[in-house]
Amino acid sequence: MNDETPARRPRRGGGRNARVALRSAPLEDAARPVRAGLSGGKYRALTDAEVLRIHEAALTLLEEVGMALAPDSGVALMTAYGAIYSEEDKRLRYPREVVERALKQAQKQVTLFARDPKHDLDLSGTRVHYGTAGAAVHLADAEIGEYPESTLADLYNAAKITDQLDNVHFFQRCMVARDVLDNREMDLNTLYACVSGTSKHIGTSFTEPAFAADGLEMLHIIAGGEDAWRARPFVLNTNCFVVPPMKFATESCEVMEVCVRGGMPVLLLSAGMAGATAPAPLAAVIAQAVAECLAGLVYVQAIKPGAPAVMGTWPFVVDLRTGAMSSGSAEQALLSAACAQMGQFYDLPTGAPGGMSDAKFPDAQSGAEHAMASTMAGLAGLNMVYEAAGMYSSLLGFSLEGLILDDDVLGQCMRCVRGIEVTEDNLNLDLIKSVCLDGPGHYLGADQTLGMMQTEYFYPQHSDRMSPKEWDEKNRPQLLQKAIDRKHDILSKPGWSRLSPEIDAAVRARFNIHLNEI
Amino acid sequence: MNDETPARRPRRGGGRNARVALRSAPLEDAARPVRAGLSGGKYRALTDAEVLRIHEAALTLLEEVGMALAPDSGVALMTAYGAIYSEEDKRLRYPREVVERALKQAQKQVTLFARDPKHDLDLSGTRVHYGTAGAAVHLADAEIGEYPESTLADLYNAAKITDQLDNVHFFQRCMVARDVLDNREMDLNTLYACVSGTSKHIGTSFTEPAFAADGLEMLHIIAGGEDAWRARPFVLNTNCFVVPPMKFATESCEVMEVCVRGGMPVLLLSAGMAGATAPAPLAAVIAQAVAECLAGLVYVQAIKPGAPAVMGTWPFVVDLRTGAMSSGSAEQALLSAACAQMGQFYDLPTGAPGGMSDAKFPDAQSGAEHAMASTMAGLAGLNMVYEAAGMYSSLLGFSLEGLILDDDVLGQCMRCVRGIEVTEDNLNLDLIKSVCLDGPGHYLGADQTLGMMQTEYFYPQHSDRMSPKEWDEKNRPQLLQKAIDRKHDILSKPGWSRLSPEIDAAVRARFNIHLNEI
C-alpha cells in the first residue's frame, strides 16, 4: 500500500464496548457538544474600519436620502422623535443625533422567550441560534418529488418537526397556508399552527394591523392573560417594514405599531435585492440595508423607547443574468455574515438569512449551499440565523425532509461555532508523553479519550459514516429515506398539541381554527 | 400575499438583453470574480495566545518526547543539525534552538510550479488554493452507483478533468492504480498518469527510495533535462514521513531524502487520528501534528537548508463510537482551519485536508460536508486545501462526478475568501441618492450594476436556480446528470496528452507505461 494511505480504522482496543456503553448514556444538556446560543464571532468578514465606513454611509443615507412612504402615524411619531419631514418630496430624513439617540435607547440585551423557558433565546453578544423562516408557497415534498401548494397542515407539521430537532432553535412561519383563503383567517391560523406545533420561540407576520390585534388577543388567551403575555412574549412579529430602496412599507409599518404597543418584539426586516432593489456592490447592499433598519429602529423607539427589536438586515442576491434569486450563492453567505458584524457594532440583536438553497430537493447542491451559509453565519456570530433549515427553491419551497437533514448539519455548524478549547487540561502533555514513551502508542483506551468522546465530538444522526462494504451489506441506506422515515416517526406521535385542551378550546371558541385534529 | 414574502423576481427592465450580452463575453482572468491564490485569513479559529500556547506545547513535545524510528541516515543528519539522539530509548530529541534554526532557514516564499506557468501556486501569506488528494482504493462511480477498484485509467481521467476545472488548482494523486500490481510500476505509472493528464501542479508519493529516483529520472525527461526540472520542479512529493504519535515512518523518510536532494518540494504529512493515534482534544491533536511537522522541517533543513517544504499538519477525525473515520465532520473542519493558522504563525506554506465526505455518492450529506470544510479552510487562509474535490467514503472512494460538482462549490468558496470590498467606488452613495430621489427606484439598469455583474458575482456552472415551474417545464434537470454529461464531454476530447509525442515516446522507451492511448 502506498505510503500516503492513512490506516483507515484504528485497531479496536478492548475499550470499544466501554466506549459504546458510555456513548449510549444520555448527556446532561451542559455537557453536550453543542447547544443553542454558543458564541461565534471568529470570522470577521469586515475589518473594524470597514464596519465604521459602512455605518457612516448609512448615516449619510438617512440624513440625505431618508425614507419615503411612512404612514401618517409614523410621520407624526418620528418627527416628534426628531426626524425631519419634507413636504416637498414627502420623505423623512434623520439627522445623525436622532439615529444615535435611538441606538442608545434601544434594548441591547434582548431575550426572545419561548413558551418552554428552556428554549428562550438570549440574543446578546455573538450568541448564535438557528431557525426557520420564509413564506414558501409550496411544500417541497421530497417524498413524492412534487411541489404542491403549501397548506396549514404542512405548516403545523413543520412546527411539530422543529419542536423535536436539537439544532433548530426557533420556528418562524416558513410556509404560507394557501388553503386558508381569507387573509385574516390565514394570519390567525398561521399563528395557531405555529404555537400549537412547538413550544419553541415563534416568529410570524400579519397582513393588516387589525389582524395583529386579533393575534395579540389569541396570544393573551394562550399565555393566560395580557400580563402573562407581556411578561414573556413568546412570539415575534417578522415585519417587512421597508420596500427597498429607502421606502417604508406603509401597511407593514402600521402592523408594527400595533405589535410594539402590544408588547411583541419585532424583527425589522429589510429585504433588498442586490443589483435590483439594492445596489450591485455587496458593500453598498449592506450600507442600504443598515440605513433602512436604522430607520426602523428609530421608528420603534419613537413608538416605545426600549421596545425589543431585532435588526433584520436581510439582503438577498439576484442572479443578474436572469433575474432569478440566488439565495444559495456565496454572495448571500457573505452578506449575512457581514450584516452580523454590523449588528455587533451596534450591540443590537441581529437576524439575517443563512442556509437557503436554490435546489429543488435535497441534493449535493442544497447540501453545499445550506452548509456554506449556515457555517459562515454561525462563525460570524449572527444571533438569529433565519432560513437555516428546510428552505428550497430560492424561498419558494419548504421541505420537511430538508428540515430534518439540515438539523444535523446545523449541529455540525454549531460545533464549528464552539471551536477549539486550548486549555491546560486539553493540552495534557503528560498523557502524550506517557502514551509515546511508556504506553500503548495510541490514545484509544485513555481516560481522556473516553471522557471526551461525548463532549468534544458531535455525532450527526443521519450522516453515513460506513465503509462502502458495510454500506453495501446494509442495503445501501439512502440519506433522504432516513429523513422521510424520521418525518413519519415525528408526525405520527399522537396527542401532540403544545396547547392544553382548555386553552385550545378557548382559542377555538373565539377564532375560526381550520386545523381539526391535532 | 403575506408581507414577509419578498418579490421573487425583480421587474425585468429593458437592460436585460444588454446584461445577457455582456455576460456572454469572456472575461479577462484578472477581472474574473475568483481565481487561484486569493487571500483568506478572516476566520481565526484560534486566538494569537492560543497559537502561541500550541507552539510552546509542540516545542515541549519535541524536547521531551522527541521522535522514534528515524532511519540511520536521518539520525546522522539531524544529530549533525543539533538534535540529540538517545541510545537508551532510540529517540531523537530537539532542543528548541534547533527547531528555531530550522524555522529560520526554511524557505518562506514557496512557489509550487506547474508545467503551464499560469497554474503556478504562490503559497505565501494566506493565499488559498484548492486541489485533490488522497489514495482512494475505489472509484466512487456515481454514474453506475458502484465502487469498483480504482485503476490507472481512472486516475488519468481525474487528472484530465481537473485540468479543465476552474477552481481545482492543483492535482494530487487521488486514487491508487490497483490494476498496476508491481509497486515500482504503480508509482511510475501514477506519476505518468498525473503529468500526462494535466499541466497543473502535481503531487504524488513513492513507496521506496529507489522508485523516487526513477520518478526523478522520468521528470528530467519530461522537463527537458535535470537543470530544467530543478529550475521549475512541477511535482511535489507528498510524504507521510511520520506514523503518529511521534514516530518517523522510516522508509518514507528515506524517500524524502531522495526527493529533497532531487530538488522536489515535499509535503510533510502528519496524519494522526484524533482519539486514536493522536489525543482526543482538538487542541492536543494540533499540538502533536505541529510537533511532528516541525520534526520533519528540521529533517528537511538538515538534508538541504532552504529546501522547499510544505507543512502538512493533516490530522483526521475518528468516530469514537465505532472507530470509523469521520472525514466530513465539524471537528475535521476545525482542525484544518486551525492548522492553517499555525502555518501562518510560522510563515510557512501549509496544506491540510478540507472537503472530504463520508457519504458514498454526491448527496445532501456530501454537499454539506464538502462545503463546510472547504469554506472554513478557505476563510482560514490555508495555502493548500487538499482533498477538496471528489473525495468520498472517508477517503476510500474518489468520484469524477463529485470532482466536477465540487469545482462549482470551490468557486463559491473562493468567492467567500475574496470577501467584500468596502471602497468608495463600491459605496457610491451618489448612485443610491439618484436612484431613490430622481431615478427609477431600482438599480437594474444602472451602469454600476451592468459593470459589476461579471466581476462581483460568481456564477456556478451546474447549480440550479430555476423556479419550480421552469424546472418542471425543462424536464426537471438533475444535478448528478449534469456532472455525468460534463465528465463524458471532457473525457471524450481527443488528443489530450499534456506530453508532446516526442517526450511521451522517450518516457515510454525508458519506462513500462501501462496507459495505452492517451
Side-chain angles (χ1 to χ4, degrees):
Chain A
M1 185 54 69
N2 199 294
D3 73 353
E4 193 196 337
T5 314
R8 177 169 159 81
R9 282 164 200 279
R11 195 162 51 84
R12 287 177 174 163
R16 182 166 188 251
N17 288 344
R19 291 195 301 279
V20 170
L22 194 61
R23 175 64 203 159
S24 60
L27 270 185
E28 294 292 319
D29 264 9
R32 293 168 64 195
V34 298
R35 56 194 174 280
L38 294 176
S39 291
K42 290 179 182 169
Y43 166 49
R44 311 288 287 166
L46 304 169
T47 65
D48 290 348
E50 288 167 343
V51 167
L52 203 59
R53 183 69 195 82
I54 290 173
H55 165 62
E56 289 293 335
L59 290 184
T60 302
L61 290 176
L62 287 169
E63 278 188 316
E64 299 183 9
V65 178
M67 300 286 290
L69 297 183
D72 293 343
S73 55
V75 172
L77 284 161
M78 286 185 269
T79 50
Y81 198 82
I84 295 163
Y85 185 69
S86 158
E87 284 295 345
E88 194 182 337
D89 66 0
K90 313 289 185 198
R91 299 184 78 92
L92 277 164
R93 289 184 172 78
Y94 303 81
R96 64 185 297 155
E97 58 272 21
V98 171
V99 178
E100 283 161 0
R101 186 160 72 250
L103 284 166
K104 200 165 165 189
Q105 282 188 323
Q107 188 179 148
K108 302 289 166 30
Q109 304 288 318
V110 171
T111 295
L112 294 179
F113 297 103
R115 263 184 318 132
D116 182 340
K118 82 173 179 209
H119 294 306
D120 285 358
L121 311 173
D122 170 358
L123 303 191
S124 62
T126 58
R127 292 176 185 277
V128 178
H129 310 85
Y130 291 106
T132 61
V137 291
H138 294 283
L139 179 73
D141 189 335
E143 184 169 357
I144 59 169
E146 296 293 341
Y147 262 70
E149 293 192 355
S150 51
T151 67
L152 186 63
D154 294 331
L155 178 64
Y156 175 65
N157 287 339
K160 277 181 73 168
I161 292 170
T162 296
D163 194 78
Q164 294 294 289
L165 299 178
D166 280 346
N167 306 301
V168 183
H169 306 119
F170 60 91
F171 183 69
Q172 179 161 308
R173 179 279 323 274
C174 50
M175 280 177 276
V176 176
R178 294 176 73 180
D179 53 341
V180 184
L181 300 180
D182 176 80
N183 275 352
R184 176 178 178 276
E185 297 206 352
M186 184 187 73
D187 281 0
L188 295 168
N189 276 275
T190 294
L191 180 59
Y192 176 86
C194 294
V195 176
S196 59
T198 177
S199 57
K200 294 184 178 180
H201 171 78
I202 301 291
T204 192
S205 61
F206 301 100
T207 318
E208 294 183 19
F211 308 167
D214 289 340
L216 283 162
E217 189 184 339
M218 186 193 293
L219 292 169
H220 297 168
I221 296 172
I222 292 169
E226 180 170 353
D227 289 350
W229 155 256
R230 285 184 178 270
R232 289 181 52 85
F234 48 85
V235 175
L236 163 146
N237 173 229
T238 301
N239 194 296
C240 278
F241 74 103
V242 67
V243 180
M246 306 298 282
K247 297 187 297 292
F248 283 111
T250 314
E251 192 158 31
S252 294
C253 289
E254 292 166 347
V255 168
M256 182 174 73
E257 292 184 24
V258 172
C259 291
V260 169
R261 292 200 175 96
M264 190 182 289
V266 293
L267 171 69
L268 296 166
L269 201 162
S270 153
M273 301 263 194
T277 60
L282 301 185
V285 176
I286 301 164
Q288 182 181 298
V290 167
E292 290 162 343
C293 285
L294 289 177
L297 191 78
V298 170
Y299 201 157
V300 169
Q301 300 312 307
I303 302 168
K304 190 161 93 180
V310 178
M311 291 280 279
T313 36
W314 198 305
F316 287 114
V317 172
V318 172
D319 189 318
L320 291 172
R321 299 168 303 179
T322 61
M325 274 194 73
S326 37
S327 60
S329 63
E331 295 82 8
Q332 180 70 61
L334 282 168
L335 285 172
S336 291
C339 286
Q341 244 181 297
M342 295 307 301
Q344 289 157 19
F345 171 72
Y346 298 121
D347 195 18
L348 287 175
T350 301
M356 309 159 285
S357 175
D358 303 313
K360 302 300 154 284
F361 293 111
D363 66 3
Q365 177 185 342
S366 75
E369 291 178 339
H370 174 257
M372 178 179 284
S374 297
T375 301
M376 286 170 62
L379 294 177
L382 182 62
N383 300 129
M384 302 280 281
V385 188
Y386 284 101
E387 322 258 25
M391 213 65 196
Y392 283 78
S393 208
S394 317
L395 303 184
L396 289 178
F398 188 88
S399 165
L400 301 177
E401 299 81 9
L403 172 62
I404 288 167
L405 294 176
D406 288 348
D407 171 67
D408 249 3
V409 175
L410 293 175
Q412 306 242 46
C413 291
M414 202 52 109
R415 180 64 190 84
C416 294
V417 170
R418 177 183 145 196
I420 297 169
E421 288 95 8
V422 183
T423 62
E424 291 308 307
D425 274 357
N426 282 352
L427 279 176
N428 191 350
L429 300 188
D430 288 340
L431 173 63
I432 303 181
K433 281 184 212 173
S434 128
V435 162
C436 293
L437 300 181
D438 319 307
H442 64 75
Y443 300 82
L444 278 171
D447 287 346
Q448 189 189 50
T449 302
L450 291 173
M452 295 195 86
M453 60 182 288
Q454 292 186 97
T455 57
E456 185 79 343
Y457 294 89
F458 174 81
Y459 298 108
Q461 286 198 44
H462 304 298
S463 297
D464 171 17
R465 291 177 168 177
M466 287 184 269
S467 72
K469 181 166 177 292
E470 188 182 1
W471 181 73
D472 192 54
E473 286 165 0
K474 296 206 167 158
N475 296 317
R476 306 183 165 208
Q478 298 296 313
L479 187 69
L480 179 58
Q481 190 57 49
K482 294 185 208 175
I484 292 169
D485 293 344
R486 181 133 176 247
K487 175 186 76 171
H488 288 300
D489 185 50
I490 293 174
L491 297 184
S492 64
K493 291 188 185 185
W496 181 274
S497 177
R498 294 304 186 224
L499 300 180
S500 71
E502 298 72 28
I503 286 174
D504 193 58
V507 171
R508 286 172 184 272
R510 169 67 184 82
F511 300 98
N512 181 20
I513 297 303
H514 293 233
L515 275 175
N516 286 326
E517 301 174 66
I518 59 173
Chain B
M1 185 55 69
N2 199 294
D3 74 352
E4 191 195 336
T5 315
R8 175 169 161 80
R9 282 164 202 280
R11 195 163 51 83
R12 286 179 175 160
R16 181 166 190 252
N17 289 344
R19 292 196 300 279
V20 171
L22 193 62
R23 175 64 202 159
S24 58
L27 271 184
E28 295 292 317
D29 264 9
R32 294 169 64 196
V34 298
R35 55 196 174 278
L38 294 176
S39 290
K42 291 180 180 168
Y43 166 50
R44 311 288 287 167
L46 303 169
T47 65
D48 289 349
E50 288 168 344
V51 167
L52 203 59
R53 183 69 195 81
I54 290 173
H55 164 64
E56 289 293 335
L59 290 185
T60 302
L61 289 177
L62 287 169
E63 278 188 317
E64 299 183 10
V65 178
M67 301 285 291
L69 297 182
D72 292 344
S73 54
V75 172
L77 283 161
M78 287 184 270
T79 51
Y81 198 82
I84 296 162
Y85 185 70
S86 157
E87 284 295 346
E88 194 183 339
D89 65 1
K90 314 287 184 198
R91 298 183 79 92
L92 277 164
R93 289 184 174 78
Y94 303 81
R96 64 185 296 153
E97 59 272 20
V98 171
V99 178
E100 283 162 1
R101 186 160 72 249
L103 282 167
K104 201 167 164 188
Q105 282 187 324
Q107 188 179 149
K108 302 290 163 34
Q109 304 288 319
V110 170
T111 295
L112 293 180
F113 298 102
R115 262 185 317 132
D116 182 340
K118 82 173 179 209
H119 294 306
D120 285 358
L121 311 172
D122 170 359
L123 303 191
S124 62
T126 58
R127 292 175 186 276
V128 177
H129 309 85
Y130 292 106
T132 60
V137 291
H138 295 283
L139 179 72
D141 189 334
E143 184 169 359
I144 59 169
E146 296 292 340
Y147 263 69
E149 293 193 355
S150 52
T151 67
L152 186 64
D154 295 331
L155 178 65
Y156 176 65
N157 287 340
K160 278 182 73 168
I161 292 170
T162 296
D163 194 77
Q164 294 294 290
L165 299 178
D166 280 347
N167 307 300
V168 182
H169 305 120
F170 59 91
F171 184 70
Q172 179 162 307
R173 180 278 325 274
C174 51
M175 281 177 275
V176 176
R178 292 176 73 179
D179 53 340
V180 185
L181 300 180
D182 175 81
N183 276 350
R184 176 180 177 277
E185 296 207 353
M186 183 187 72
D187 281 359
L188 295 167
N189 276 276
T190 294
L191 179 60
Y192 176 86
C194 295
V195 176
S196 60
T198 178
S199 57
K200 293 185 179 179
H201 171 78
I202 300 292
T204 192
S205 61
F206 300 101
T207 318
E208 294 183 18
F211 307 167
D214 289 339
L216 282 163
E217 188 183 341
M218 186 191 294
L219 292 168
H220 296 170
I221 296 172
I222 291 168
E226 180 169 353
D227 289 349
W229 155 256
R230 285 182 178 270
R232 289 182 53 85
F234 48 86
V235 175
L236 162 145
N237 172 231
T238 300
N239 195 297
C240 280
F241 73 103
V242 66
V243 180
M246 306 297 284
K247 298 188 295 292
F248 283 111
T250 314
E251 193 159 30
S252 294
C253 289
E254 291 166 347
V255 169
M256 182 174 74
E257 292 185 25
V258 173
C259 291
V260 169
R261 293 201 175 94
M264 190 181 289
V266 293
L267 171 70
L268 296 165
L269 202 163
S270 153
M273 303 264 193
T277 59
L282 302 185
V285 176
I286 301 164
Q288 183 182 297
V290 167
E292 288 161 346
C293 284
L294 290 176
L297 191 78
V298 170
Y299 200 156
V300 169
Q301 299 312 309
I303 301 167
K304 190 162 89 180
V310 178
M311 291 281 279
T313 36
W314 198 306
F316 287 113
V317 173
V318 172
D319 189 318
L320 292 173
R321 299 169 302 180
T322 60
M325 272 194 75
S326 37
S327 61
S329 63
E331 295 82 8
Q332 180 71 62
L334 282 168
L335 284 171
S336 291
C339 286
Q341 245 181 296
M342 295 308 301
Q344 290 156 19
F345 170 73
Y346 298 121
D347 195 17
L348 287 175
T350 301
M356 309 159 284
S357 175
D358 302 313
K360 301 301 153 285
F361 293 111
D363 65 4
Q365 176 185 341
S366 75
E369 292 177 338
H370 174 257
M372 177 178 286
S374 296
T375 301
M376 286 171 62
L379 294 177
L382 182 62
N383 300 127
M384 301 280 280
V385 187
Y386 284 100
E387 324 256 26
M391 212 65 195
Y392 284 77
S393 210
S394 318
L395 303 184
L396 289 178
F398 188 87
S399 165
L400 300 177
E401 300 81 9
L403 172 62
I404 288 167
L405 294 175
D406 288 348
D407 171 65
D408 249 4
V409 175
L410 293 176
Q412 306 243 46
C413 292
M414 202 53 109
R415 181 64 190 85
C416 294
V417 169
R418 178 183 144 194
I420 296 170
E421 288 95 9
V422 183
T423 62
E424 290 309 305
D425 275 357
N426 282 353
L427 278 177
N428 191 351
L429 299 187
D430 289 340
L431 173 63
I432 304 181
K433 281 184 212 173
S434 131
V435 162
C436 293
L437 300 181
D438 319 307
H442 65 74
Y443 301 83
L444 277 171
D447 288 346
Q448 188 188 52
T449 303
L450 291 171
M452 297 195 84
M453 60 183 287
Q454 292 185 97
T455 57
E456 185 78 343
Y457 294 89
F458 174 81
Y459 298 108
Q461 287 199 43
H462 304 298
S463 297
D464 171 18
R465 291 176 169 178
M466 287 185 268
S467 72
K469 182 167 176 292
E470 188 183 359
W471 181 73
D472 192 54
E473 286 165 1
K474 296 205 167 159
N475 296 317
R476 307 184 164 208
Q478 299 296 313
L479 186 70
L480 179 59
Q481 190 56 50
K482 294 185 208 174
I484 291 169
D485 293 346
R486 182 134 177 246
K487 175 187 76 171
H488 287 300
D489 184 50
I490 293 173
L491 296 184
S492 64
K493 292 189 184 185
W496 181 275
S497 177
R498 294 302 186 226
L499 299 180
S500 71
E502 298 72 28
I503 286 175
D504 193 59
V507 171
R508 286 172 185 273
R510 169 67 184 84
F511 299 99
N512 181 20
I513 298 303
H514 293 234
L515 274 175
N516 285 326
E517 303 174 66
I518 58 172

